[in-house]
Amino acid sequence: MSAAVETPFRRLVSEFSTSPVAVGAGIAVVLIILAATFAEFVVPQNPYDLASLNILDGSLPPMSEGFEGNYYLLGTDEQGRDMFSAMIYGLRTSLLVSFIAVTSAVLIGMTLGMFAAWRGGWVESLIMRIVDIQLSFPALLVALILLAILGKGVDKVIIALIMIQWAYFARTTRGAALSEIRKDYVMAARCTALGQMRILFRHVLPNCLPPVIVIATVQIANAIAIEASLSFLGVGVPITEPSLGLLISNGFGYLLSGRYWISFYPGIALLLTLTCINLVGDQMRDVLNPRLHK
Amino acid sequence: MLAYLIRRLGQSVLVMSVMATIVFFGLYMVGNPVDLLINPEDDLAAQEAAIARLGLDQPILVQFWHFLQGVVQGDLGTSFVHNQPALELILSRLPATLELAAFAMLLAVIIGIPLGMFAGLYPKSPVSKGIMAGSILGFSTPNFWQGLMLIMLFAVFWRVLPAGGRGETAELFGIPFSFLTLDGLQHLFLPALNIAIYKISLVIRLSQAGTAEVSLQDYVKYARARGLSTRRIVGTHILKNILIPIVTVLGLELGSVLAFAVVTETVFSWPGMGKLLIDSIGLLDRPVVVAYLMLTVFLFVVINLVVDLVYSLLDPRIRTKGKNA
């Protein structure tokens, strides 16, 4: 394929690049993901290896030098843990939890949404009623109740996030699939006597993807925010695998004595991550919205 | 209309029963509240007496049956920890939460509408761009962290407002309220602002878009041509026309204030329903969690029902659709 041929992917990239803010946010998101994935190589200290902590360096303000000459860019917490390192590790937990949750929610939601659109009748009514009812409650409250039942833990948080997010994808997919199923190409595929599953997954599904991708981007940001809130409230991830929310929660106790940095910087990291993902999501919506092309 | 109402009510009752069942059996599987509630130094007979008093010695189906019997009679069980009817306990915390929510909504309206209208009237001004950028930030900031930062600024660095609690309250109709005393107002301001910031951003967006659209309408041009003062055009002709979507959205948002109140109340130790829920989850106080859930589902069902009914009153098309179906 020569460079001049316009593939859908290339068109997407070139249209995405029309907004410098979105490109900047996109680069920031990539950097954040890379830093979180390769946390071991990015940070000066493993914050959960107790042997590498120096209690003499406890509660140092940002940009100070430790007892053994270590430099702490964002300060340390009570146990002498480098806040920058803790933050990047926390980011990893936050990103991993929300990524797994949203991916699973997309798979479950799309399957159910497609199934509803395809089968119609009482199956569709049942699925869509459940979706309606669930979406009429705030996500945070549903997650809170689910975790009150399930208990603490990374896996539990992921289950709760999947259970509150699948409904968005089911609703979006059903809407897109309903309009796709009526189109001529599906009729043509039926005429060639292809199997139902093949038509559904090879022909209809790819055409339902654009709105799902947009929702998924925004929902990743939402999942990160909800996970952080849950961990802050003490029903989220356990203390052994702290996410950004838990770091902020831990710093709460020191805030009143003026040691602001323990809560402040993880919060800034959270805010930056959420804002960048949302900016990327906004631009994706503009690019993938077919109504804006015509 | 009647058929629609009956169908909606039936659905609401179904939702409440399903939720109650899931939560009751779900919570039963988590931990054993007995371990937390019984003095381990008591002798065995005293422990068993305590278990029997809480009704925890019965088989789960019997407990569920007693629970259902109670629900029908408006009794949602007795708190293990506070030894007080769960519903009564929650209702006693309700005024604090409602006060917070109402104050937050008030802030959202009196701050959000003027800012949004300004941005809509002068879209090219740098102030407007600042307002719109600020509203994006207000949408993205995690609520709990924002609360911590408010505490940090106002209570720790500047020392102008208290960091938590409800302050001095005064009674109105026998219910304590904070907004009636100066000390109470000072305590109320930060948590209410914390809930309000998201709503302010929302109201700014709505009123900016509304103002930009309404300013181009013929009746605004005509009002200008008649030589009316700008204040009168903005205050009467534009404001009245942008209020409808704002009122609708804020009505719908009332429910989400309840959810965010959980976070804000925890950050600011505000003794409302949300803080009670978090404390009860921590203490495995099952009846309170179940009662909180039942009450919240009930509130939501009512809010959604009222919104739907108001819509069908405002928009005749929804009613006719119901008739044809």
Side-chain angles (χ1 to χ4, degrees):
Chain A
M1 202 183 282
S2 77
V5 175
E6 192 190 46
T7 62
F9 179 72
R10 275 210 191 103
R11 200 190 69 210
L12 210 72
V13 171
S14 79
E15 277 176 19
F16 187 87
S17 316
T18 51
S19 158
V21 177
V23 172
I27 294 172
V29 170
V30 172
L31 287 179
I32 289 169
I33 293 173
L34 284 178
T37 314
F38 301 105
E40 290 90 342
F41 309 103
V42 177
V43 301
Q45 182 195 72
N46 177 358
Y48 301 106
D49 174 15
L50 288 177
S52 74
L53 303 184
N54 190 342
I55 196 81
L56 293 171
D57 290 351
S59 300
L60 289 176
M63 294 197 278
S64 51
E65 210 166 288
F67 190 71
E68 286 170 0
N70 303 355
Y71 181 70
Y72 297 110
L73 181 67
L74 302 181
T76 59
D77 71 0
E78 187 98 313
Q79 292 160 297
R81 184 171 291 144
D82 176 37
M83 281 319 290
F84 177 70
S85 311
M87 212 173 82
I88 301 289
Y89 271 77
L91 201 58
R92 167 145 82 182
T93 309
S94 296
L95 288 180
L96 196 68
V97 165
S98 45
F99 189 76
I100 296 175
V102 172
T103 314
S104 319
V106 165
L107 291 178
I108 296 170
M110 277 194 91
T111 311
L112 286 172
M114 295 269 291
F115 191 60
W118 185 258
R119 283 291 300 272
W122 69 269
V123 177
E124 183 181 26
S125 312
L126 180 71
I127 295 177
M128 296 329 285
R129 286 320 290 165
I130 297 176
V131 168
D132 285 346
I133 290 168
Q134 201 185 322
L135 292 185
S136 67
F137 295 98
L140 183 64
L141 208 57
V142 177
L144 203 59
I145 295 297
L146 282 172
L147 284 170
I149 295 174
L150 296 170
K152 264 181 150 186
V154 173
D155 49 340
K156 315 275 173 38
V157 175
I158 292 175
I159 293 173
L161 286 173
I162 294 171
M163 286 180 73
I164 56 176
Q165 294 211 318
W166 72 274
Y168 295 98
F169 299 107
R171 179 180 274 181
T172 313
T173 312
R174 172 182 164 268
L178 271 185
S179 75
E180 291 299 324
I181 283 171
R182 295 205 189 93
K183 287 186 180 165
D184 287 343
Y185 74 90
V186 176
M187 189 64 84
R190 278 188 183 166
C191 289
T192 57
L194 293 177
Q196 290 211 347
M197 286 300 127
R198 193 182 153 94
I199 298 176
L200 214 52
F201 286 97
R202 293 291 297 277
H203 296 256
V204 178
L205 187 107
N207 286 298
C208 300
L209 275 179
V212 172
I213 292 172
V214 174
I215 307 273
T217 319
V218 178
Q219 288 304 330
I220 285 198
N222 261 340
I224 294 174
I226 291 176
E227 182 277 317
S229 307
L230 292 170
S231 299
F232 175 79
L233 291 173
V235 291
V237 299
I239 199 97
T240 46
E241 283 165 276
S243 63
L244 288 178
L246 202 61
L247 283 180
I248 296 171
S249 173
N250 290 343
F252 188 17
Y254 306 110
L255 190 70
L256 293 177
S257 58
R259 277 171 278 174
Y260 67 91
W261 57 90
I262 304 174
S263 279
F264 182 72
Y265 291 110
I268 290 286
L270 189 59
L271 180 58
L272 257 179
T273 312
L274 295 180
T275 313
C276 289
I277 296 177
N278 280 332
L279 285 171
V280 170
D282 270 4
Q283 179 71 357
M284 294 267 257
R285 191 184 53 213
D286 293 348
V287 170
L288 290 174
N289 188 345
R291 263 178 301 175
L292 295 176
H293 289 302
K294 280 156 198 165
Chain B
M1 191 68 200
L2 188 68
Y4 173 73
L5 195 64
I6 291 173
R7 203 170 61 224
R8 280 300 310 263
L9 282 177
Q11 196 187 316
S12 311
V13 171
L14 189 72
V15 171
M16 287 191 65
S17 340
V18 171
M19 288 285 203
T21 313
I22 293 175
V23 170
F24 187 87
F25 285 100
L27 284 179
Y28 197 87
M29 293 186 294
V30 190
N32 188 355
V34 172
D35 302 338
L36 284 168
L37 298 168
I38 287 179
N39 185 355
E41 295 183 0
D42 278 357
D43 59 43
L44 210 57
Q47 289 191 9
E48 268 166 12
I51 294 173
R53 186 165 43 78
L54 295 168
L56 291 169
D57 55 340
Q58 312 269 341
I60 180 163
L61 282 175
V62 175
Q63 288 189 35
F64 186 56
W65 175 242
H66 287 312
F67 170 71
L68 285 183
Q69 278 180 326
V71 170
V72 176
Q73 296 164 3
D75 170 18
L76 294 176
T78 304
S79 161
F80 295 156
V81 179
H82 302 268
N83 210 5
Q84 191 183 351
L87 191 63
E88 197 179 284
L89 187 66
I90 293 173
L91 288 178
S92 73
R93 302 289 191 94
L94 185 65
T97 299
L98 288 183
E99 183 182 16
L100 194 59
F103 200 69
M105 285 294 191
L106 186 73
L107 283 180
V109 170
I110 59 175
I111 298 176
I113 292 183
L115 289 181
M117 285 183 81
F118 182 88
L121 287 172
Y122 311 102
K124 298 231 167 75
S125 145
V127 178
S128 305
K129 295 212 167 100
I131 292 174
M132 297 316 284
S135 80
I136 294 181
L137 208 61
F139 274 127
S140 307
T141 316
N143 203 257
F144 65 96
W145 182 71
Q146 179 184 290
L148 294 189
M149 293 303 109
L150 287 176
I151 291 181
M152 184 180 98
L153 288 179
F154 287 94
V156 181
F157 286 172
W158 299 333
R159 300 184 183 280
V160 282
L161 288 170
R166 210 180 161 184
E168 201 182 313
T169 56
E171 291 208 349
L172 185 69
F173 309 119
I175 302 166
F177 283 107
S178 291
F179 73 95
L180 296 170
T181 65
L182 184 66
D183 182 55
L185 264 182
Q186 284 177 339
H187 281 83
L188 180 60
F189 183 72
L190 280 189
L193 182 67
N194 191 43
I195 296 182
I197 285 177
Y198 182 88
K199 311 284 166 214
I200 292 172
S201 309
L202 194 67
V203 173
I204 286 178
R205 296 255 132 188
L206 289 171
S207 34
Q208 184 262 349
T211 309
E213 201 182 308
V214 170
S215 314
L216 300 173
Q217 299 286 322
D218 286 342
Y219 58 81
V220 175
K221 286 182 192 156
Y222 177 62
R224 287 230 163 83
R226 269 166 60 204
L228 295 183
S229 69
T230 313
R231 176 193 289 192
R232 194 168 156 74
I233 295 173
V234 173
T236 310
H237 295 87
I238 296 182
L239 181 65
K240 274 193 184 162
N241 283 290
I242 64 166
L243 274 182
I244 302 159
I246 295 176
V247 170
T248 315
V249 172
L250 281 186
L252 286 171
E253 286 285 315
L254 202 65
S256 82
V257 168
L258 274 178
F260 282 109
V262 176
V263 174
T264 301
E265 285 173 7
T266 308
V267 173
F268 290 93
S269 324
W270 184 263
M273 282 164 60
K275 180 123 182 19
L276 179 67
L277 174 71
I278 295 293
D279 294 345
S280 303
I281 289 176
L283 292 169
L284 291 179
D285 197 351
R286 225 182 267 155
V288 179
V289 178
V290 175
Y292 177 90
L293 180 89
M294 298 289 285
L295 190 70
T296 315
V297 173
F298 178 73
L299 285 177
F300 265 86
V301 163
V302 171
I303 291 173
N304 288 337
L305 193 64
V306 169
V307 169
D308 277 2
L309 290 181
V310 171
Y311 269 152
S312 73
L313 288 178
L314 291 177
D315 190 345
R317 278 173 299 180
I318 296 174
R319 256 176 298 167
T320 22
K321 210 171 113 195
K323 243 173 233 164
N324 293 342

